[in-house]
Structures are given as C-alpha cells and as structure tokens.
Amino acid sequence: MRTVLLKPSPLPGFTPALGAALLWLGLLVLIPLAALVWRASGLGLSGILAIAGQPRVAAALKLSFGLSLLAAALNVVLGGVVAWVLTRYEFPGRRLLDAAVDLPFALPTAVAGIALTAVYAPNGWIGAPLDALGFKVAFTPLGIFIALVFIGLPFMVRSVEPVLSEVEPEIEEASATLGASRLRTIFQVVLPPLVPAFLTGFALALARAVGEYGSVVFISGNIPFVSEIAPLLIVVRLEEFDEAGATAVATIMLALSFAILLIINLVQAHVRRRTGHD
C-alpha cells in the first residue's frame, strides 16, 4: 500500500512555493528567534531560571500574561457579541461600526495609548467620574487590562465574523420550530461550529496582548511590582546595559508564549476533529 504524503493539486509549482515559504519563514521568524535563544543559552538554564525568579521579573511576567489571558477571555465574549450584531442585523450606521472595529489595527500603538490615557486619566472624560466614585483606571493594572482589550477585540471579531456568516439563519429557525429554547439553540446549534474560530481569535488576541508595548506604556504608569509589564522591563534592562537580563526575560516570554499557543492549537485541532471540520 503506497503512502501519499502530499495531496494532489492541479496547480504546479509546489517545490518553488515551498522553498520560498521556508526561506521567508526562516529569515523573518525562525532565524531571529533562534539567535535570541542562542544568546540566552550563554546564561545556562540555571541563570535564566535565576533571572525569572527575581521578584521584579516574576511580577512583570505575572502581570503581562495574567492580564493578557483575562483580556483575551473577555474579548471572546465581546467579540462574539459584536460579530453577531454585524452579521445578523441591518441597522443605520452598521458599515461605520464595522469600519470602527478595525481602528485598533490602523492606529499606531502610541496614538492608542495616548488616547486611552487621556480618556481614563483622573481628569479624563471617563476617568474623572470613575475617580469620583473611587475607581482609578489610568496608571493601574485596570488601565493595562482596558488597553489589552482594546487592541485584541478586532482579532476576535474578524476571526468569528466570516464563520458566523456561513451559519444559515434557517438552521436557527428550524431549531426554534422543533421546540428548542433560545439558549439551547445558541449552545447546541450556533456555537459548536464557531468554537475553532473562537479559539483562533483567542490565540491571536492573546499573542497580541502579551507583546503589546506602545498602547500600554502610557496608561500603565510603569510602576515596578504594580503596573510594569514584561516588554517594558526588557527595555529597562537594555537602558541599564543589562543585555543578558533583557535577553533572558525575552527568552522566558518566548517560551511561555510558545507553550500557551501550542496548547491552544492542540485544543483547536481536537475540536476540529470532534466537529468534523478537518
């Protein structure tokens, strides 16, 4: 029995296309990351773990990854609702709202950070009323969380929207006709085919949030042990001419990000097999 490793295709050019893909992937992604790991290897595993165990580094990593996971999780809900509204309803201003979803893509991150800081600062439009109620947003972890939700929302909406548009409304109507409640229709008819798209959006939003710098650095306040994110700590280490420390923190972030994304991809593959989308 002959094993077929490649799916037949009517289009020629597999070899040059694969070569070009591997070339660009190596030059732009693999080689730079390999260089980072190589430089960090000079510290040894014990040296990297020692740096990771430093209180300031541990606090920054915990803040970055913890808030990124929370922001991505919230975007699963918010992005799903926004995608549902844009897909299922026609209303005045729909196209404008659809275009506004992509603004975090187009805005320079520094502009987004300044805008969020101006709005949520103690004297800002939203920050002032909240400050009067005793809620401080800017220069706190809450401000970082809002910034991460802001930059991650488009990834979720654009991941779910095209898949949701393929779910026929007639299926939902048939479910209602057969006596299913709205909640049962949502959880048993609408959501199952959307799970892979939700996981993709979650992974993209999480990846963007973990490495975000420009939109966070202005609103965070950059207070060690309180609102200092890991990307900022890397910059601080470089400004202190501690290249080894900066490399170690970057390598730790790379390893944690890879592990999280690998787990998400494995879960996504399992869901695709279960739902028959492979």
Side-chain angles (χ1 to χ4, degrees):
M1 181 177 178
R2 188 177 68 173
T3 301
V4 179
L5 298 179
L6 301 175
K7 293 182 179 180
S9 173
L11 299 178
F14 169 76
T15 301
L18 177 62
L22 293 177
L23 174 63
W24 291 117
L25 182 63
L27 291 176
L28 299 178
V29 179
L30 299 180
I31 293 177
L33 294 181
L36 173 65
V37 175
W38 175 260
R39 299 199 68 167
S41 64
L43 297 172
L45 181 59
S46 59
I48 295 176
L49 293 178
I51 292 176
Q54 293 176 358
R56 185 175 179 181
V57 175
L61 290 171
K62 181 180 179 181
L63 183 70
S64 288
F65 283 92
L67 289 181
S68 295
L69 286 168
L70 291 176
L74 179 60
N75 274 327
V76 169
V77 180
L78 298 181
V81 172
V82 173
W84 178 270
V85 170
L86 293 177
T87 304
R88 286 291 188 265
Y89 302 106
E90 291 288 343
F91 53 90
R94 176 182 172 277
R95 294 185 181 276
L96 183 61
L97 179 62
D98 189 36
V101 170
D102 294 327
L103 276 178
F105 284 144
L107 279 178
T109 55
V111 175
I114 293 173
L116 290 171
T117 304
V119 171
Y120 288 100
N123 58 348
W125 291 349
I126 300 177
L130 291 177
D131 189 65
L133 295 174
F135 296 99
K136 187 176 181 181
V137 178
F139 319 125
T140 68
L142 179 58
I144 300 175
F145 176 74
I146 292 175
L148 296 182
V149 172
F150 172 81
I151 56 98
L153 181 63
F155 291 95
M156 182 60 64
V157 176
R158 296 313 181 201
S159 297
V160 174
E161 188 178 6
V163 182
L164 183 59
S165 63
E166 295 179 359
V167 179
E168 298 291 342
E170 288 78 7
I171 299 177
E172 303 161 29
E173 296 171 1
S175 175
T177 302
L178 294 173
S181 64
R182 291 185 177 182
L183 285 178
R184 187 173 182 182
T185 300
I186 290 174
F187 285 102
Q188 295 189 2
V189 176
V190 178
L191 285 183
L194 297 179
V195 171
F198 273 110
L199 289 172
T200 298
F202 178 83
L204 292 174
L206 175 62
R208 173 68 188 273
V210 167
E212 183 61 21
Y213 178 80
S215 61
V216 175
V217 70
F218 292 100
I219 198 172
S220 66
N222 309 320
I223 305 172
F225 301 102
V226 176
S227 60
E228 184 179 51
I229 58 174
L232 175 64
L233 184 60
I234 294 174
V235 175
V236 171
R237 290 286 188 262
L238 290 174
E239 290 176 347
E240 295 173 349
F241 302 101
D242 183 8
E243 186 176 347
T247 302
V249 175
T251 304
I252 295 167
M253 289 191 67
L254 173 62
L256 292 175
S257 300
F258 179 80
I260 293 174
L261 293 178
L262 178 61
I263 292 172
I264 294 174
N265 285 331
L266 291 175
V267 173
Q268 186 180 35
H270 175 70
V271 171
R272 287 185 181 275
R273 286 194 299 269
R274 289 286 301 273
T275 57
H277 282 78
D278 269 350

